[in-house]
Amino acid sequence: MKFTKKLRCLLLTVLVVIFMTSLCGLVIYFCKGYSENKMFSSLRKQVNNSQNEKITDIKIETLFPEIPTEQFLQEPSNILEKFRSLYEQNSDLAGWIKIDDTSINYPVMFTPDNPQFYLRRAFDKSSTLSGTPFIGKGCHINPISDNIIIYGHNMKNGSMFSDLLKYKDEKYRNEHSKVQFDTIFTQGNYEIIWAFYIDVSDNNHFMFYKYQDLSGTKRKEFTDKCRELSIYGKTCELTGNEQFLTLVTCSYHSENGRFVVIAKNIDV
C-alpha cells in the first residue's frame, strides 16, 4: 500500500515537471515570437515613413564591401531612399517583399558567401527560430538575376512565408496574385503564375534552385517544367523575356517537402 502511494506521488511529480517544462517552453516560444514581430513592425514603419526617392553617388564597394565588384555594376549606383535607414543598420539588406492581405511583409537579406546565414537569424543578426527571408545561392541583385529565389520559413504562428501555402488554392491565387519585391536599387511588381509541391529528397526532383540564369536553353527548360508541375489549370502566356521571382517555404507534405510559388515581373 505504501509502495503504491509512493509510486503515485512519484508519477504525479513527473507529470507536473513535464507540464511545467512544456508550459515554460510555450511561454518562451510566444515571447520570442512577440519580440520578433515587434522588431519587424518597427522595420516596416521605417520603410513606410521614408520617401521613395534615390540617393546618388553611393559606390557599390561601400554597399557590399565583401562581394567582388564584378558581380555588380562597375560604376556608382543608386539606392532607394526608403531603404537607406535600414541599410545603415545592416548592410546585408537586399530589399523588401510584400503581398497585400497576407502576413508576408518583410526585409529580404543577401549574403552570397554564406546564403543561409539568416536561416535562423533576425535582421539584427541575433539568434531566432523564424529567421529572416533571404536570397538563395547563385542569385544577384545588381543587375537582378533572371530568376531571383527567396526562402522563408513556414512558421506555425502564421509568420514569415506560412501564407504561401494558401496559394495551393487557385481561387486564392486569383484574388492575391500581385507581389511587390523591391531591391535596394529598384522597385519590382510581380504576378504569381505557377505554384507546385516538391520533395527535395527525391533524386529526380526538379532542381528549380539551379535556374537563376535563364540564358540559352535554360529558360525553356525552366518554364516548361514549371508549367508541368504547376497546380493551376490555366497556362500563362510568356514573351520569353520575363524576369521571375521564386518564393520557397517548407510544406510538410513530406519530410523534405517544399512549396514553390513563382511570379513574373509585370513592369516590363
Side-chain angles (χ1 to χ4, degrees):
M1 185 67 124
K2 289 183 179 181
F3 177 77
T4 303
K5 187 175 181 180
K6 287 182 179 180
L7 185 61
R8 287 177 179 173
C9 290
L10 178 61
L11 181 59
L12 180 60
T13 302
V14 170
L15 291 174
V16 170
V17 170
I18 293 174
F19 172 78
M20 293 304 296
T21 300
S22 301
L23 182 61
C24 288
L26 285 172
V27 170
I28 292 172
Y29 174 81
F30 284 111
C31 285
K32 283 186 176 181
Y34 174 79
S35 177
E36 291 168 14
N37 288 334
K38 187 175 181 181
M39 180 192 66
F40 283 118
S41 293
S42 175
L43 297 177
R44 293 180 190 118
K45 288 180 181 179
Q46 292 181 55
V47 171
N48 292 336
N49 290 338
S50 298
Q51 292 183 353
N52 192 15
E53 298 175 354
K54 289 186 176 182
I55 299 295
T56 59
D57 298 328
I58 296 180
K59 300 289 186 180
I60 292 299
E61 290 87 351
T62 302
L63 290 173
F64 297 96
E66 298 180 0
I67 304 172
T69 56
E70 61 265 26
Q71 294 186 23
F72 299 93
L73 297 178
Q74 301 297 312
E75 58 185 48
S77 188
N78 300 330
I79 182 170
L80 295 176
E81 171 63 15
K82 65 180 179 179
F83 294 128
R84 185 176 177 85
S85 174
L86 267 63
Y87 180 82
E88 290 173 349
Q89 297 172 50
N90 187 339
S91 60
D92 291 336
L93 178 72
W96 196 281
I97 186 166
K98 180 180 180 182
I99 305 179
D100 288 340
D101 300 322
T102 75
S103 63
I104 300 173
N105 189 8
Y106 295 104
V108 176
M109 314 308 287
F110 184 42
T111 51
D113 294 333
N114 184 10
Q116 297 191 47
F117 181 82
Y118 285 91
L119 183 68
R120 295 295 181 188
R121 286 185 174 89
F123 179 82
D124 62 2
K125 300 185 181 181
S126 62
S127 178
T128 177
L129 289 174
S130 60
T132 307
F134 61 90
I135 292 175
K137 181 179 180 181
C139 298
H140 46 85
I141 63 170
N142 192 16
I144 196 166
S145 302
D146 295 331
N147 177 29
I148 196 153
I149 306 167
I150 303 176
Y151 296 85
H153 285 296
N154 176 10
M155 301 300 293
K156 291 181 179 179
N157 62 6
S159 64
M160 294 298 123
F161 278 10
S162 59
D163 274 355
L164 280 187
L165 271 297
K166 294 180 180 179
Y167 286 93
K168 63 186 178 182
D169 181 357
E170 189 169 2
K171 181 181 178 182
Y172 184 88
R173 187 282 304 264
N174 294 340
E175 296 171 351
H176 304 82
S177 63
K178 299 300 187 291
V179 181
Q180 183 178 356
F181 171 58
D182 300 336
T183 72
I184 58 174
F185 302 112
T186 58
Q187 296 183 95
N189 295 291
Y190 297 78
E191 182 178 24
I192 294 171
I193 55 175
W194 298 311
F196 53 84
Y197 291 93
I198 205 162
D199 187 335
V200 294
S201 63
D202 183 346
N203 292 332
N204 297 316
H205 76 273
F206 172 46
M207 298 181 183
F208 63 88
Y209 44 80
K210 291 190 175 182
Y211 287 85
Q212 302 88 346
D213 172 17
L214 299 180
S215 59
T217 61
K218 294 194 73 176
R219 177 174 291 272
K220 189 174 187 306
E221 290 175 12
F222 177 75
T223 56
D224 284 354
K225 195 62 178 179
C226 289
R227 286 181 192 273
E228 177 188 334
L229 294 174
S230 182
I231 58 181
Y232 304 142
K234 186 178 180 180
T235 58
C236 162
E237 292 186 5
L238 301 175
T239 64
N241 297 309
E242 287 82 6
Q243 188 262 321
F244 295 100
L245 176 68
T246 298
L247 308 178
V248 188
T249 194
C250 293
S251 67
Y252 306 121
H253 71 282
S254 65
E255 185 175 353
N256 293 292
R258 302 289 185 272
F259 190 65
V260 182
V261 173
I262 300 176
K264 68 174 182 177
N265 191 297
I266 56 176
D267 291 327
V268 292

